[in-house]
Amino acid sequence: MSARDSVLGKIRASMGSPASNDDRRKTVTDRLQAAPKGIIPGRAQLPEAEQIDLFCTMAEKFGATLARVSGYADVAAEVSGYLRAHNLPAAIRMGADQRLQEAGWETEKNLELRHGPSDGGDLAGVSHATGGIAETGTVAMMSGQDNPTTINFLPEHHVIVIKASDIRGDMESVWTMVREKQGKGEMPRALNLITGPSRSGDIEQTILLGAHGPRALHVIVVE
């Protein structure tokens, strides 16, 4: 036995740690599965319909604009309306998310669809959120080909589509949902939590929109 093994053995013995690796792995697994949950504020424990309403209220409070549509077939018309209202070109950047592919784009004949990651030359992009956090009006965005992270940050206008049933009361519940969707060992490379448009403030507390990302955020909630 090396000096290192001897020292570690004494440490394990003093802590009452199991001797075998299998026993130690089981101990760690049991602790992870039985980990206590943090305190969840009352406003994050509302009924589902009230959670959705709270999400919409908080998203607007932090500078996002918001629309609620009855189904995915109405998304394309809402996106086109947003572009016209902001005097933007009829062009939108999007990833390969299957839900966005079925968003009724065929009804918007004049709208140009640009696919794949943004190279910084797009004024507007659309993504589909993984989930939403009602207590803060935050959207959770998983990286990947379905919804490239570049669309989150490079276009000046970011349109985010979110399914109402994917809105949860608190951040902890969204992480649980992500783990359940992805499966063990299959987490995305990045997960961005976005609350309102990008903003920054100088020492005089003058707020500047678009400093580190889109200066406008439009959220479409699909009922």
Side-chain angles (χ1 to χ4, degrees), residues 12-36:
R12 282 194 290 267
S14 67
M15 297 175 60
S17 177
S20 72
N21 287 334
D22 290 341
D23 288 340
R24 286 196 290 273
R25 290 191 185 97
K26 183 179 184 304
T27 299
V28 172
T29 300
D30 291 343
R31 286 180 181 174
L32 289 174
Q33 291 179 346

Side-chain angles (χ1 to χ4, degrees), residues 127-144:
S127 305
H128 199 294
T130 300
I133 303 171
E135 63 173 324
T136 55
T138 300
V139 288
M141 311 290 297
M142 286 197 296
S143 63

Side-chain angles (χ1 to χ4, degrees), residues 180-198:
E180 290 174 350
K181 282 185 175 182
Q182 294 299 103
K184 184 176 177 59
E186 297 296 331
M187 293 292 283
R189 187 173 187 182
L191 189 143
N192 299 124
L193 299 176
I194 300 173
T195 307
S198 171

Side-chain angles (χ1 to χ4, degrees), residues 7 18 45-46 56 63 104 117 123 148 172 190 197-198 209 212-213:
V7 171
Q45 301 182 48
L46 298 171
C56 295
L123 287 178
E172 290 83 354
S198 171
L209 295 179
H212 310 292

Side-chain angles (χ1 to χ4, degrees), residues 118-169:
S118 176
D119 60 3
D122 304 293
L123 287 178
V126 60
S127 305
H128 199 294
T130 300
I133 303 171
E135 63 173 324
T136 55
T138 300
V139 288
M141 311 290 297
M142 286 197 296
S143 63
Q145 293 184 355
D146 287 353
N147 295 285
T149 299
T150 53
I151 299 178
N152 297 348
F153 297 105
L154 296 182
E156 289 193 9
H157 294 257
H158 191 197
V159 179
I160 296 179
V161 179
I162 183 170
K163 192 174 180 181
S165 59
D166 288 334
I167 294 173
R168 301 289 186 270

Side-chain angles (χ1 to χ4, degrees), residues 49-166:
E50 293 181 34
Q51 286 184 7
I52 297 170
D53 290 340
L54 177 60
F55 169 84
C56 295
T57 298
M58 297 304 293
E60 291 181 312
K61 178 180 179 180
F62 286 107
T65 55
L66 192 132
R68 299 174 75 160
V69 299
S70 60
Y72 280 99
D74 301 321
V75 168
E78 175 61 31
V79 171
S80 290
Y82 176 85
L83 296 177
R84 287 194 299 271
H86 291 80
N87 198 29
L88 293 169
I92 194 82
R93 172 72 62 177
M94 61 188 293
D97 194 294
Q98 187 59 41
R99 294 163 295 187
L100 292 181
Q101 305 302 318
E102 301 170 356
W105 305 109
E106 66 279 359
T107 64
E108 302 300 315
K109 304 299 184 182
N110 297 323
L111 182 60
E112 177 189 352
L113 300 182
R114 301 172 179 174
H115 298 279
S118 176
D119 60 3
D122 304 293
L123 287 178
V126 60
S127 305
H128 199 294
T130 300
I133 303 171
E135 63 173 324
T136 55
T138 300
V139 288
M141 311 290 297
M142 286 197 296
S143 63
Q145 293 184 355
D146 287 353
N147 295 285
T149 299
T150 53
I151 299 178
N152 297 348
F153 297 105
L154 296 182
E156 289 193 9
H157 294 257
H158 191 197
V159 179
I160 296 179
V161 179
I162 183 170
K163 192 174 180 181
S165 59
D166 288 334

